[in-house]
């Protein structure tokens, strides 16, 4: 199977070949022909599956064929992404596909000057990649109109649910023509996603490469049962054992991760942290340094690292388990990209037992134990030493074997665990 068999025009196929992209990935094989036929697409695929090309190529192909210049302040296609980094990555990919054609790609995200972005939009663009907040700003300033936008993509849509972008979407979507083509891509399929698809897609074809919530098979997973206070030394040992390889370390809170990165630096690791308190420039630099191998350990919170395409990460450490099970899948999806092998190593402290159970339940599989034993008696009333600041997670009741997960009608990020316990509750803000 190659790209011209999917119906893409020869010059686009040639452009891809220049970038070493010759054989479509499974999600591309499944999605592209339908998208080229104008169908709405709901794609269940993780970062690393080639999903950007799966939605990007059909749009680029259609816009190349149409050959219509955009009207002033209009965008012919709109891609919404939850984070600035992901939006930039998508814009970079689209720019690579469109190189040498008349098509113009623009990126509008927060953290960068709005005036320059307004200028860029003045003459209109073919493909606009945006984070929802900045797009709304630009709409409010009448710098852009969406009434001629024929393609809408919602990428990493599950993350958008987590981040409350649903409200933004409610404002943005009605501004587009009803007869647009809409594509929604998501790594997981929480119940709310079906509602989102129902609201914004029409007669969508559903494509998927991995079972929902099931990580790619090339990742070897393991869990260490380790007390919070012993996690740091274990991490240092494991990082030491793979000195030459890139490692990504996930935790929950900005402060906790900042502190961890300083502690690792003090141990001589070339390390950098990305989280919500870092400026856009610092985040971009950190990722560029990591990709180039100038730093070897990237410490991150979920939001900061979401959707990043970092090809050579061999080890992903869950220094703290995410309290949203879907985020575990997202985190470990950072490794084993493009068919490479990768390892996902989780650290589970006593008060993370319920998080671990939730993750295993969502994946319908147990994570093999690397050291220690599952904690017993978890669920007693105690505070959790959490990366130094005690914050960053929401704990709601749930004694041992007690509280069932609450019905997931709420966005994953807002889900509460119900149950009879009276655990300490901390309300630190994650990421
Ligand atoms: P994505 O899942 O869209 O973030 O893509 C992950 C990475 O795979 C990106 O670096 C793409 O350039 C690359 N890629 C996408 N499609 C292909 C393909 N068909 N063959 C090889 N690499 C690809």
């Amino acid at each position: 199977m190659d790209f011209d068999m999917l119906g893409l025009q020869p010059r686009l196929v040639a452009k891809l070949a220049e970038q070493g992209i010759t054989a479509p990935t499974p999600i591309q094989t499944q999605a592209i022909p339908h998208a080229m036929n104008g169908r709405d697409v709901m794609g269940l695929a993780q970062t690393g599956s080639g999903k950007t090309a799966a939605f990007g190529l059909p749009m680029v192909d259609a816009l190349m064929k149409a050959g219509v210049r955009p009207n002033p302040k209009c965008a012919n296609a709109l891609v919404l992404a939850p984070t600035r980094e992901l939006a930039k990555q998508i814009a970079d990919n689209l720019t690579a596909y469109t190189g040498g054609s008349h098509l113009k790609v623009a990126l509008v995200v927060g953290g960068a000057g709005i005036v320059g972005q307004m200028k860029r939009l003045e003459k209109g663009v073919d493909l606009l990649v945006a984070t929802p907040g900045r797009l709304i700003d630009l709409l409010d300033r009448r710098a852009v109109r969406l009434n001629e936008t024929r393609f809408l993509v919602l990428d990493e849509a599950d993350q958008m649910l987590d981040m409350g972008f649903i409200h933004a979407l409610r404002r943005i979507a009605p501004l587009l023509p009803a007869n647009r083509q809409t594509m929604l891509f998501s790594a997981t399929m929480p119940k709310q996603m079906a509602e989102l698809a129902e609201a914004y897609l029409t007669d969508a074809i559903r494509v998927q490469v991995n079972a929902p919530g099931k990580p790619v098979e090339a990742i070897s997973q393991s869990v260490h049962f380790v007390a919070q206070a012993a996690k740091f030394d274990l991490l240092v040992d494991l990082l030491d054992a793979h000195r030459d390889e890139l490692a990504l370390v996930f935790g929950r809170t900005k402060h906790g991760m900042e502190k961890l990165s300083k502690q690792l630096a003090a141990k001589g690791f070339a390390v950098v942290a990305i989280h919500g308190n870092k400026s856009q420039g610092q985040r971009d630099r950190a990722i560029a340094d990591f990709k180039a191998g100038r730093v070897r350990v990237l410490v991150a919170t979920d939001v900061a690292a979401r959707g990043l395409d970092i090809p050579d990460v061999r080890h992903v450490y869950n220094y703290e388990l995410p309290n949203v099970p879907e985020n575990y899948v997202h985190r470990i999806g950072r490794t084993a990209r493009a068919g490479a092998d990768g390892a996902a190593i989780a650290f589970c402290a006593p008060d993370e037992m319920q998080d671990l159970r939730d993750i295993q339940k969502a994946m319908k599989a147990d994570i093999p134990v690397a050291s220690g034993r599952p904690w017993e008696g978890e669920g007693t009333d105690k505070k959790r030493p959490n990366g130094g600041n005690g914050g960053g997670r929401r704990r709601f009741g749930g004694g041992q074997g007690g509280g069932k997960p609450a019905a997931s009608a709420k966005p994953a990020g807002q889900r509460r665990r119900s149950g009879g316990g009276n655990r300490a509750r901390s309300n630190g803000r994650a990421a």
Side-chain angles (χ1 to χ4, degrees):
M1 175 70 76
D2 53 26
F3 279 103
D4 41 16
M5 286 174 71
L6 298 180
L8 296 171
Q9 55 191 292
R11 65 171 160 157
L12 192 46
V13 176
K15 196 86 220 159
L16 293 173
E18 280 173 25
Q19 297 160 42
I21 297 178
T22 49
T25 64
I27 196 72
Q28 291 162 1
T29 307
Q30 290 180 48
I32 290 174
H34 293 294
M36 302 259 308
N37 283 337
R39 287 287 296 271
D40 281 4
V41 173
M42 170 143 139
L44 190 49
Q46 290 148 4
T47 302
S49 61
K51 67 188 166 60
T52 312
F55 65 71
L57 293 174
M59 290 196 300
V60 168
D61 186 85
L63 293 170
M64 275 179 171
K65 279 184 188 137
V68 210
R69 302 279 157 138
N71 282 318
K73 298 191 176 181
C74 288
N76 286 336
L78 171 66
V79 181
L80 288 179
T83 63
R84 298 164 187 177
E85 284 84 2
L86 179 62
K88 181 169 186 313
Q89 216 163 265
I90 295 168
D92 288 347
N93 282 353
L94 294 177
T95 305
Y97 308 150
T98 55
S101 77
H102 70 278
L103 298 180
K104 278 206 298 185
V105 179
L107 171 69
V108 299
V109 294
I114 199 165
V115 177
Q117 294 177 357
M118 290 171 73
K119 274 221 171 79
R120 184 111 176 80
L121 293 168
E122 240 159 43
K123 289 188 179 153
V125 296
D126 296 278
L127 294 136
L128 179 62
V129 186
T131 48
R134 178 51 62 95
L135 180 63
I136 285 181
D137 267 0
L138 289 161
L139 287 163
D140 287 345
R141 292 170 188 236
R142 301 193 190 287
V144 63
R145 290 183 290 134
L146 301 175
N147 57 318
E148 295 181 15
T149 305
R150 288 172 292 145
F151 300 93
L152 173 64
V153 176
L154 309 174
D155 195 18
E156 305 249 346
D158 47 352
Q159 181 74 352
M160 298 223 213
L161 294 178
D162 287 358
M163 296 170 72
F165 284 154
I166 203 90
H167 302 291
L169 196 56
R170 275 199 201 113
R171 274 200 60 194
I172 294 166
L175 304 174
L176 278 79
N179 65 353
R180 64 172 190 259
Q181 183 178 359
T182 309
M183 293 184 257
L184 179 154
F185 279 79
S186 182
T188 59
M189 212 36 78
K191 190 171 157 228
Q192 255 222 336
M193 195 58 61
E195 295 162 18
L196 197 74
E198 180 73 19
Y200 298 109
L201 277 68
T202 309
D203 189 24
I205 186 100
R206 195 179 155 132
V207 296
Q208 100 178 48
V209 285
N210 281 305
K214 221 177 158 199
V216 277
E217 255 132 49
I219 305 175
S220 80
Q221 298 178 61
S222 59
V223 56
H224 294 266
F225 292 98
V226 52
Q228 187 70 24
K231 282 184 176 181
F232 181 72
D233 288 344
L234 177 61
L235 180 65
V236 168
D237 285 350
L238 293 172
L239 288 174
D240 260 336
H242 303 279
R243 276 261 166 207
D244 303 327
E245 289 168 348
L246 296 183
L248 198 45
V249 181
F250 280 102
R252 285 206 177 101
T253 68
K254 305 183 248 205
H255 298 295
M257 292 303 96
E258 184 63 27
K259 184 175 163 196
L260 179 64
S261 88
K262 292 211 167 85
Q263 287 172 324
L264 288 171
K267 288 269 175 193
F269 289 97
V271 56
V272 68
I274 54 170
H275 51 67
N277 279 358
K278 297 277 184 182
S279 72
Q280 193 54 38
Q282 287 172 318
R283 284 154 73 161
D284 289 346
R285 220 170 309 124
I287 289 156
D289 284 346
F290 187 60
K291 280 187 175 178
R294 288 188 288 272
V295 299
R296 213 175 58 75
V297 183
L298 182 64
V299 173
T301 56
D302 286 303
V303 170
R306 182 60 185 261
L308 290 183
D309 176 29
I310 304 167
D312 295 319
V313 181
R314 296 294 295 276
H315 295 91
V316 172
Y317 294 94
N318 282 288
Y319 192 73
E320 289 156 341
L321 293 178
N323 53 347
V324 179
E326 287 84 3
N327 278 349
Y328 177 82
V329 178
H330 288 301
R331 289 178 178 188
I332 74 170
R334 275 23 1 253
T335 183
R337 317 289 299 269
D341 287 342
I345 302 112
F347 291 1
C348 179
D351 64 350
E352 292 174 301
M353 275 307 289
Q354 190 58 45
D355 297 313
L356 182 68
R357 287 191 203 109
D358 290 347
I359 289 164
Q360 297 188 143
K361 197 169 157 203
M363 292 196 306
K364 299 188 176 67
D366 283 351
I367 300 173
V369 178
S371 74
R373 297 176 44 199
W375 303 101
E376 288 172 16
E378 171 270 332
T380 50
D381 190 17
K382 62 181 178 309
K383 280 216 168 66
R384 158 176 208 275
N386 183 12
N389 73 346
R393 57 196 277 127
R394 287 167 285 194
R395 277 275 180 200
F396 303 93
Q400 167 98 356
K404 277 194 208 143
S408 56
K410 285 184 180 174
Q414 296 174 18
R415 220 173 281 151
R416 302 280 198 270
R417 205 172 275 135
S418 63
N422 59 347
R423 292 182 85 116
R425 184 188 283 204
S426 62
N427 267 323
R429 279 170 57 91

